Amino acid sequence: MSTIAAAPGAQVKSTPSRSIRALGAVNFFLADVRDGLGPFLGIFLVGQGWSAAEIGLVMTIGGIAGMLATTPLGALADASRAKRFMVGFCAALVIVASLAILFVPTFAFVTASQIATGIAGAAIGPALAGLTLGLVGQKGLAPQLGRNEAWNHGGNVFAAAGAGFFGYEFGLPAVFILMTMMAVGSIVAVLMIRPDDIDHDVARGLDRKEGAEREAPSGFSVLWKSRPLLILAATLMLFHFGNGAMLPLLGQQVAAQAEQDTTMGAATGTASATPNAAADTTTTAVSPGQSTAGRPASEPVRQPSTLQTLLSDPVSYTAATVIIAQLTMIPIALVAAGFASRRGYFLLLVAALVALPVRGLIAGLWPNPYALIPVQMLDGVGAGLLGVAVPGLVARMLRGTGHINAGLGAVMTVQGVGASLSPAIAGAIVTSFGYSTAYLSLAAFAMCGLVLWLVSSPKVAAACSGD
């Protein structure tokens, strides 16, 4: 059992190794659970004949449900001593809601499923943050956040690789099965965290000094009276306005292209099979070993490479986008945790905010499947930095108030406004103007968030500074 040095007069918080390892496992297994089907939902619904606008609408409804629930669920995480139960119950709820879509993919049922998934995901974030803070304390928070993020992204890589392989071999239903197995793993892992190892006062941000009585929590008005917290929330709302639809659009674009290619191929095959085919002007492909005028029999037929075949498959393509981003996030999260301990959080947030507009420009101006590599590496940079910076910043801004998890929930609520509106607006832009315009529009929203954070730097400097 290791010990973390505390400030003079403050209670020393020891870190129980078994519970810390279990916390890592929880983050690993929840990686494929807390967001439900995520980008794979769009691919599944495209295959069911849904339009981009309809998909964006149901995702938006689910996002709004999660947004409205996040702040009260954060307050519940502060007040409750059943944080482990919150995580386990919500993991089970996501699985039941997601599996239901496989059997009843109607608009009403998918909408209800997304609402349940949104609410469950909204509860998991603050509950996990409370568990982390309650186990390691304020001094150990930044390094542990980095480890949490590394485990989480490692779990995403594992799940995405499994989804890509099994989805390619057996179809999209295999993704549902894999997610169910990950949920069971998360429930087992959370039960391995010892309840006695969690300091629930520290978990909600109350400073406990030796020999002093337990402090009472502040009033909830502290949430809207904290100007740095409001600026952070508004900045993240603009960021997620640009980020929320980016990855789903990448998968939907490939799925739509695959559907179009299938339709065109079927139409071409039908035309060549008509009785008057000899009179048609349609050109017939030449098989190996055949020859025509001007084309020797020895000319090989160009076959698509294995990589091209995988990139043309919507499930494999989406899995590749996730894997590239998550592999990038693992080292970024670990580096960010060390940087935050020494230099604070301001530059981490700037770097995350810069990455998204560049990502949108690449996706919008380079309509090529290979664009997913830089696009998703930049996604990994942004998400890896924010995963460490946001909970750490909120913990510093609200330290001593007893409402850290409610504050984190409030920030997630405001950023959820952007995330929930993003798919619907992006879907409408795609329908009217195409995918490239949608990517560039999303980049513009993210740029507004960067400008707000830079302009507000004097007001958030104290909260962002290192220890």
Side-chain angles (χ1 to χ4, degrees):
M1 182 179 292
S2 60
T3 302
I4 298 175
Q11 189 175 23
V12 174
K13 176 66 180 171
S14 59
T15 55
S17 57
R18 170 182 161 175
S19 292
I20 293 298
R21 289 194 299 269
L23 181 64
V26 171
N27 279 276
F28 180 89
F29 286 112
L30 278 178
D32 193 42
V33 177
R34 61 188 298 176
D35 295 326
L37 289 171
F40 292 102
L41 175 63
I43 296 173
F44 175 75
L45 295 178
V46 165
Q48 299 294 315
W50 288 48
S51 69
E54 290 173 323
I55 295 170
L57 179 59
V58 296
M59 288 183 172
T60 294
I61 293 172
I64 291 174
M67 175 191 69
L68 296 175
T70 303
T71 301
L73 289 172
L76 177 63
D78 277 327
S80 174
R81 303 180 70 88
K83 297 176 180 64
R84 300 187 313 147
F85 174 79
M86 286 180 66
V87 174
F89 175 80
C90 290
L93 178 60
V94 169
I95 290 304
V96 172
S98 298
L99 286 175
I101 297 175
L102 183 61
F103 301 103
V104 191
T106 63
F107 185 87
F109 216 85
V110 172
T111 301
S113 171
Q114 288 302 103
I115 291 173
T117 300
I119 293 174
I124 288 175
L128 271 180
L131 283 174
T132 302
L133 188 55
L135 287 171
V136 303
Q138 284 276 356
K139 288 290 183 180
L141 184 59
Q144 186 58 44
L145 286 173
R147 290 190 288 269
N148 283 359
E149 287 298 298
W151 278 112
N152 180 267
H153 301 318
N156 271 316
V157 170
F158 174 83
F165 175 77
F166 292 113
Y168 184 76
E169 293 291 333
F170 306 108
L172 198 56
V175 177
F176 290 79
I177 297 173
L178 177 64
M179 190 169 65
T180 300
M181 295 172 62
M182 295 286 282
V184 172
S186 69
I187 294 171
V188 172
V190 79
L191 292 175
M192 294 178 64
I193 298 176
R194 293 190 179 102
D196 293 343
D197 291 338
I198 306 168
D199 188 324
H200 292 281
D201 287 337
V202 173
R204 67 185 300 174
L206 291 175
D207 287 329
R208 298 179 60 189
K209 296 183 179 179
E210 202 164 342
E213 292 187 5
R214 176 182 179 275
E215 296 181 3
S218 305
F220 278 102
S221 62
V222 71
L223 299 183
W224 56 84
K225 288 181 178 178
S226 173
R227 184 169 295 180
L229 189 71
L230 296 177
I231 293 171
L232 175 64
T235 300
L236 292 175
M237 179 187 69
L238 292 169
F239 176 90
H240 284 281
F241 209 141
N243 185 68
M246 192 84 70
L247 178 56
L249 282 186
L250 287 170
Q252 290 172 41
Q253 185 175 11
V254 174
Q257 184 62 47
E259 289 285 325
Q260 181 181 353
D261 291 345
T262 300
T263 303
M264 291 177 63
T268 302
T270 302
S272 63
T274 58
N276 297 324
D280 291 342
T281 57
T282 304
T283 302
T284 304
V286 179
S287 301
Q290 294 181 328
S291 62
T292 60
R295 183 170 181 178
S298 60
E299 181 180 347
V301 176
R302 182 173 298 174
Q303 299 290 338
S305 66
T306 302
L307 179 59
Q308 289 172 327
T309 302
L310 289 174
L311 290 179
S312 65
D313 176 69
V315 177
S316 298
Y317 184 89
T318 302
T321 63
V322 175
I323 291 171
I324 292 170
Q326 300 297 327
L327 284 176
T328 306
M329 291 177 199
I330 294 172
I332 290 293
L334 294 173
V335 170
F339 185 91
S341 298
R342 299 188 304 271
R343 300 285 301 276
Y345 293 103
F346 184 81
L347 291 179
L348 291 183
L349 214 63
V350 169
L353 295 170
V354 167
L356 182 55
V358 177
R359 183 182 174 216
L361 288 174
I362 294 174
L365 300 178
W366 187 23
N368 187 296
Y370 293 102
L372 77 90
I373 297 174
V375 165
Q376 288 309 99
M377 287 183 70
L378 288 169
D379 182 38
V381 170
L385 295 176
L386 289 180
V388 174
V390 174
L393 266 173
V394 173
R396 287 188 180 182
M397 292 173 178
L398 297 178
R399 184 173 185 175
T401 65
H403 295 302
I404 283 180
N405 297 299
L408 181 60
V411 169
M412 293 171 66
T413 296
V414 176
Q415 77 177 30
V417 174
S420 60
L421 292 176
S422 182
I425 292 177
I429 294 174
V430 167
T431 301
S432 301
F433 304 104
Y435 283 96
S436 292
T437 303
Y439 293 132
L440 295 176
S441 300
L442 295 175
F445 287 122
M447 183 62 71
C448 294
L450 173 62
V451 171
L452 173 61
W453 186 251
L454 291 175
V455 169
S456 304
S457 58
K459 299 174 182 176
V460 298
C464 292
S465 63
D467 289 329

